[in-house]
Amino acid sequence: MSSPPLAPPGWSRWLVPPAALSVHLSIGQAYAWSVFKPPLELDGTQSALPFQLAIVMLGLSAAFGGTLVERNGPRWAMTVALVCFSSGFLISALGAQTKQFWLIVLGYGFVGGIGLGIGYISPVSTLIKWFPDRPGMATGIAIMGFGGGALIASPWSAQMLESFGTDHSGIALAFLVHGLSYAVFMTLGVLLVRVPRVERRVEGAPAVVGGVQVSARSAVRTPQFWCLWVVLCMNVTAGIGILEKAAPMITDFFADSSTPVSASAAAGFVALLSAANMAGRIGWSSASDLIGRKNIYRVYLGVGALMYLLIALFGDSAKPLFVLCALVILSFYGGGFATIPAYLKDLFGTYQVGAIHGRLLTAWSTAGVLGPLIVNWIADRQKEAGKHGPSLYGLSFGIMIGLLVIGFVANELVRPVHARHHIPAQREAADDQRQQPAA
């Protein structure tokens, strides 16, 4: 597993995105954790803790494991992700069966969270190397799977709980089925993934690789990396601010209108947001191949701020306007995730882009705390002050607009990386040659 699998002559590069999808569709189950929250309330009010820890571990494992992923290749990374993610469910099954909630936190949150982080970044570098002409589309296909994983896992998990029961034994059996099923599905990706051959002009001599190449260690010392960190953090904060509180938000906005939003309609709104999140990952990232990464982030951040402004000013006057603006914001949220690996490739090259991407994902962990905190804390304070309806969210929307403007400015500050951070082409070629088994 330590040697990346070398593609044989004639291997189709279009077999690599399905390999990546098999992993991302599996780990995308994390977005469906809320299905298990109601039955787990029997074990305490900390039922959100496994998910929160999983997201924290996603960012940490991606940041600290990125270099290992680059060094050992996609098959090793996918195998580690498979073992950790599936083992997390099996440990959680034991915890549910024995009524030990800490085992669920340990299994799903800590062990499974490591699988999330390693699995999320495992195919990125390989996809970019296979699709140098369309890196945005390639990474968009894979990362779309993470956004869409919950669309499969949510009804599937709900059906299992309905069939097995919502007591401890039923939850344990559902966790067990998840762990075994995802192990089988992720194995398809492990077996299918391949890395492209390094072409050599002279037999036995390393190739000279063109373009900017920057190591992960050097990348984090550049202003470009931290500008993109701010860009991703601001974009994710704005999107997750709506996503996390979508159902109560649309209910509050139209509670005093002649046509209030029912619980079923609010649930349908959440489903629409999930679809927009998934579609934006492939649609906007593919568009970035045509108009450029900097321009597409101008759209995400500039138009995103405009959408928030429209909701704040006119959102309570027309449901179609509110829904449309929210869908656009969530499509930008998904698109931002899918486009950032290609943006990193443009700036830092393909040499250690997976490791650089892993370090950048700490922005996601930060935004995952920041976005819900802003919206929920302000809404609670406004409610205590006697306000209701859209006035609960006016201040938080203003803050989101400000954050998107900050992200827009950070994107404008991105410039090509200074030559002092570049690595010699011979070093990259030698590293690539060492990583590949003999043909």
Side-chain angles (χ1 to χ4, degrees):
M1 289 299 175
S2 61
S3 297
L6 186 65
W11 183 266
S12 174
R13 65 178 183 170
W14 292 102
L15 293 173
V16 181
L21 267 176
S22 71
V23 173
H24 273 243
L25 281 171
S26 299
I27 63 177
Q29 186 279 336
Y31 277 150
W33 172 255
S34 59
V35 173
F36 291 101
K37 286 186 67 177
L40 284 174
E41 293 291 354
L42 298 172
D43 293 328
T45 58
Q46 305 90 353
S47 57
L49 186 58
F51 172 78
Q52 293 170 332
L53 180 57
I55 296 300
V56 170
M57 292 308 301
L58 185 158
L60 293 177
S61 60
F64 290 104
T67 302
L68 290 175
V69 172
E70 287 291 317
R71 182 182 304 153
N72 296 323
R75 177 169 286 181
W76 175 88
M78 289 180 177
T79 302
V80 171
L82 183 161
V83 172
C84 291
F85 190 65
S86 297
S87 297
F89 272 111
L90 300 183
I91 296 171
S92 298
L94 177 63
Q97 185 64 43
T98 58
K99 302 181 181 180
Q100 298 294 319
F101 185 69
W102 69 270
L103 278 175
I104 299 178
V105 176
L106 173 68
Y108 190 93
F110 185 80
V111 179
I114 294 174
L116 284 178
I118 300 298
Y120 190 88
I121 63 174
S122 62
V124 168
S125 178
T126 302
L127 283 167
I128 288 176
K129 289 175 181 176
W130 273 111
F131 292 87
D133 53 331
R134 286 181 280 182
M137 180 213 68
T139 55
I141 290 174
I143 294 176
M144 175 186 69
F146 190 84
L151 296 180
I152 298 172
S154 185
W156 182 43
S157 300
Q159 182 59 49
M160 274 196 284
L161 290 175
E162 185 177 335
S163 301
F164 301 152
T166 56
D167 58 0
H168 293 288
S169 296
I171 297 171
L173 186 54
F175 283 152
L176 178 63
V177 172
H178 272 80
L180 297 178
S181 299
Y182 283 131
V184 172
F185 194 55
M186 293 172 76
T187 298
L188 297 176
V190 172
L191 297 176
L192 198 59
V193 72
R194 297 287 189 277
V195 295
R197 291 169 174 265
V198 175
E199 299 298 334
R200 300 173 177 84
R201 295 184 299 173
V202 180
E203 185 64 25
V208 177
V209 182
V212 173
Q213 303 295 335
V214 181
S215 69
R217 178 176 295 183
S218 295
V220 298
R221 299 171 182 170
T222 65
Q224 288 84 356
F225 176 88
W226 293 106
C227 282
L228 288 190
W229 194 97
V230 171
V231 166
L232 182 63
C233 185
M234 299 301 100
N235 190 62
V236 173
T237 299
I240 209 168
I242 283 186
L243 184 62
E244 193 273 340
K245 203 174 175 65
M249 183 181 292
I250 192 171
T251 302
D252 289 336
F253 254 77
F254 299 99
D256 298 330
S257 69
S258 58
T259 55
V261 176
S262 65
S264 60
F269 174 62
V270 174
L272 280 176
L273 292 181
S274 297
N277 176 13
M278 184 172 65
R281 292 175 185 241
I282 181 63
W284 292 119
S285 61
S286 297
S288 76
D289 290 331
L290 301 176
I291 69 173
R293 252 59 76 172
K294 193 167 191 174
N295 285 332
I296 202 69
Y297 272 96
R298 285 169 173 153
V299 173
Y300 297 158
L301 300 160
V303 178
L306 177 61
M307 294 296 103
Y308 259 114
L309 181 62
L310 288 175
I311 292 178
L313 295 178
F314 310 110
D316 60 334
S317 61
K319 288 179 186 174
L321 177 65
F322 180 95
V323 172
L324 177 62
C325 291
L327 291 177
V328 171
I329 291 171
L330 262 294
S331 75
F332 293 161
Y333 168 80
F337 277 123
T339 311
I340 203 69
Y343 207 163
L344 292 171
K345 176 258 183 187
D346 293 347
L347 289 171
F348 303 109
T350 60
Y351 175 57
Q352 289 188 332
V353 67
I356 299 170
H357 183 220
R359 287 159 171 76
L360 196 76
L361 288 180
T362 53
W364 183 3
S365 298
T366 302
V369 174
L370 191 60
L373 180 65
I374 291 172
V375 175
N376 288 308
W377 187 84
I378 291 178
D380 290 343
R381 301 291 81 76
Q382 299 288 62
K383 189 173 293 185
E384 290 174 0
K387 297 184 179 180
H388 59 88
S391 59
L392 296 175
Y393 304 99
L395 178 58
S396 59
F397 284 2
I399 292 174
M400 293 300 181
I401 292 171
L403 294 178
L404 287 169
V405 171
I406 292 173
F408 190 94
V409 173
N411 183 53
E412 293 302 308
L413 294 176
V414 173
R415 297 289 186 272
V417 177
H418 194 279
R420 69 174 178 271
H421 298 290
H422 300 180
I423 64 167
Q426 292 83 357
R427 173 181 158 191
E428 185 211 0
D431 286 348
D432 281 344
Q433 193 171 352
R434 277 198 305 271
Q435 288 176 2
Q436 296 202 5

